[in-house]
Amino acid sequence: MKFFPTEKPLHGQLDIPGDKSISHRAVMFGSLANGTTEITHFLPGADCLSTINCFRKMGIDIETDPDHPDHVLVHGKGLHGLCAPDTVLDCGNSGTTTRLISGILAGQDFPCTLTGDASIQKRPMNRIIEPLTRMGACITSERDNGCAPLQIIGQPLHGITYHSPVASAQVKSCILLAGLYADSDTRVIEPSLSRNHTELMLRHFGASITSKGTEAAIQPGAELHAASVKVPGDISSAAYFLAAACMIPGSEILLRHVGTNPTRDGILRVIQDMGGTVTYRKLSASGGESTADLEVRYTPLHGTVIEGDLIPTLIDELPIIAVLAATAEGQTIIRNAEELKVKESNRLDIIVDNLTRMGADITGTDDGMIIQGGKPLHGAVIDSHLDHRIAMSFAIASLVAEGETDIENAECVNISYPGFYKDLKALL
Ligand code: S3P
């Protein structure tokens, strides 16, 4: 798909589609709850549809409406109401589906195989195989390479205390969900706090779950009750427009109803550190998740350092933050971001490669990158590696690059933001 520099600033207002992490969890927890869960502002992206399909295959009736794809009804059957699927569960491109469902499957009384696309079959699953095995689960990598396909034979589980070596909400959530089926309490302690949507939503559904600092603990036994879930706009999707408005002189936009959970808001803190301003309007909260309308205006930005506990709060935004840093004045250093190597693609290498193709001064390091901002960007052929966040980040970069940018497999944005190009056009 071809992109050209914009002659106009960004102007207008946008409703940001539902949060991907929260949409997945609403379907999963709704399936395990007693009663009907109504989800509004659900994200009908390919990843969340994979989650719906997996639970349908396990006997859950999930109503969707093609005319209102953001409205979903999940007729849950309780913690022990899933049934054995008659085929392999296909998680598509979705790490959240694969890892969270594995935790649930570990405690069922049936066997099951999980797989996904070529990217999923390369992503590390030992990070869940190891703690689940400690809980007594029977989970193996079919090719013995630590990746999907995964075979899981449901077993009685034991509670554990797990010191996770990575700050990963997918790992944490997988273990906590298995903890629902264990014979005693399960605790997960992370090196830095990752997104806490599982803790907040499980509490909303009636689970006995507590969290303090970087530790979360779940007590088994409590049944989950259906609840209504109003999904906030995804700050990871809003990030592309926030960055574009900060990069293009004269821009002024309002992004409505965006999730501002502090475990996800690192990009807002980075924009502020770089000299930008994002104003919060209409603050509200539902199910423990805070939201706001975000108003952002162009201001010239400067470089910054992004590291440590901040990293998990903006891990999915690092591709667009790198683009933003390339257009800001001065140096930006990103450290402690080695997790970027094991996302939908090796985002660390791919950001460096693609920004270099566009003329940026960027050097990859073992755990991040160093960007000398302010060098003019030019159009290039960009390989998205079928990674939605790479495609969207470079579509934004193209708006300030001289000449034509050609993004290969640009339609992969459907994973998290099917209307992305239309919404971008509406603001230009
Ligand atoms: C997610 C957690 C993060 C994030 C992913 C969604 C989730 O992954 O990158 O896009 O919904 O829990 P990790 O937990 O692997 O960091």
Side-chain angles (χ1 to χ4, degrees):
M1 196 183 286
K2 308 254 200 261
F3 296 84
F4 299 92
T6 177
E7 281 149 24
K8 291 183 285 179
L10 270 73
H11 268 292
Q13 307 193 358
L14 211 57
D15 270 326
I16 296 295
D19 187 279
K20 180 158 77 73
S21 293
I22 296 176
S23 295
H24 279 299
R25 286 161 173 80
V27 171
M28 294 182 187
F29 305 169
S31 298
L32 301 180
N34 292 304
T36 297
T37 287
E38 180 179 26
I39 312 173
T40 49
H41 206 51
F42 175 79
L43 172 70
D47 267 10
C48 300
L49 299 181
S50 293
T51 292
I52 289 187
N53 286 335
C54 288
F55 281 91
R56 280 182 173 154
K57 282 194 176 167
M58 291 190 282
I60 302 297
D61 176 17
I62 302 176
E63 288 183 62
T64 50
D65 174 355
D67 293 332
H68 303 281
D70 64 347
H71 186 237
V72 175
L73 290 175
V74 183
H75 300 288
K77 291 188 173 170
L79 279 178
H80 299 279
L82 300 179
C83 57
D86 51 16
T87 52
V88 168
L89 292 181
D90 183 358
C91 302
N93 189 245
S94 174
T96 305
T97 310
T98 311
R99 295 195 176 112
L100 271 61
I101 289 189
S102 295
I104 295 168
L105 288 173
Q108 304 303 314
D109 57 4
F110 54 79
C112 183
T113 303
L114 276 180
T115 193
D117 67 7
S119 154
I120 273 294
Q121 293 187 36
K122 282 196 232 139
R123 295 184 68 184
M125 294 298 154
N126 279 335
R127 52 179 60 198
I128 58 162
I129 293 176
E130 203 258 318
L132 287 177
T133 304
R134 278 216 242 160
M135 295 179 81
C138 180
I139 170 167
T140 48
S141 156
E142 209 172 81
R143 296 194 196 111
D144 206 16
N145 61 355
C147 301
L150 299 175
Q151 283 179 347
I152 303 175
I153 305 173
Q155 300 283 321
L157 301 178
H158 319 296
I160 57 167
T161 293
Y162 187 63
H163 289 266
S164 177
V166 279
S168 159
Q170 293 179 359
V171 171
K172 171 174 63 179
S173 305
C174 167
I175 300 167
L176 292 173
L177 288 167
L180 283 172
Y181 296 94
D183 57 5
S184 58
D185 294 3
T186 295
R187 288 198 306 152
V188 183
I189 299 138
E190 301 187 277
S192 301
L193 183 63
S194 66
R195 63 191 67 191
N196 64 356
H197 306 304
T198 294
E199 297 92 302
L200 296 177
M201 200 188 292
L202 276 178
R203 197 167 303 136
H204 184 58
F205 277 76
S208 300
I209 185 158
T210 53
S211 34
K212 193 169 173 222
T214 60
E215 177 177 327
I218 191 155
Q219 249 181 6
E223 280 291 327
L224 303 185
H225 313 295
S228 58
V229 179
K230 192 171 160 203
V231 182
D234 197 328
I235 191 165
S236 300
S237 299
Y240 304 101
F241 306 116
L242 291 170
C246 289
M247 284 160 50
I248 301 165
S251 298
E252 186 175 348
I253 58 171
L254 183 81
L255 306 174
R256 281 192 296 258
H257 196 62
V258 179
T260 51
N261 177 321
T263 64
R264 293 285 301 281
D265 71 352
I267 181 151
L268 302 177
R269 288 183 261 157
V270 164
I271 290 175
Q272 209 161 24
D273 283 350
M274 295 176 86
T277 346
V278 181
T279 310
Y280 288 42
R281 309 233 179 255
K282 287 202 189 158
L283 277 69
S284 106
S286 170
E289 297 285 353
S290 53
T291 60
D293 289 359
L294 301 179
E295 190 181 274
V296 60
R297 284 179 197 187
Y298 172 77
T299 333
L301 299 188
H302 52 75
T304 187
V305 177
I306 304 169
E307 61 185 350
D309 291 347
L310 193 56
I311 294 293
T313 71
L314 46 67
I315 189 73
D316 290 343
E317 288 66 79
L318 284 169
I320 187 63
I321 288 174
V323 169
L324 186 62
T327 65
E329 276 309 312
Q331 187 180 69
T332 292
I333 302 178
I334 300 174
R335 298 193 188 102
N336 313 124
E338 50 278 271
E339 275 294 297
L340 278 185
K341 296 179 192 169
V342 291
K343 293 293 176 190
E344 285 83 329
S345 65
N346 179 339
R347 287 187 180 155
L348 210 160
D349 287 357
I350 289 167
I351 294 167
V352 173
D353 174 39
N354 282 332
L355 270 174
T356 303
R357 291 189 200 194
M358 295 185 86
D361 182 345
I362 178 167
T363 312
T365 62
D366 279 351
D367 67 346
M369 54 196 87
I370 301 171
I371 302 162
Q372 303 293 343
K375 256 185 99 181
L377 299 183
H378 54 73
V381 174
I382 298 297
D383 188 347
S384 70
H385 292 258
L386 291 169
D387 183 330
H388 54 129
R389 303 213 184 276
I390 297 294
M392 290 187 274
S393 299
F394 284 87
I396 298 299
S398 75
L399 300 177
V400 296
E402 202 193 312
E404 177 186 296
T405 297
D406 187 359
I407 302 183
E408 292 170 343
N409 298 310
E411 71 290 344
C412 64
V413 302
N414 289 340
I415 290 291
S416 65
Y417 198 159
F420 174 72
Y421 298 117
K422 185 173 74 48
D423 283 355
L424 177 58
K425 220 168 164 184
L427 290 178
L428 284 170

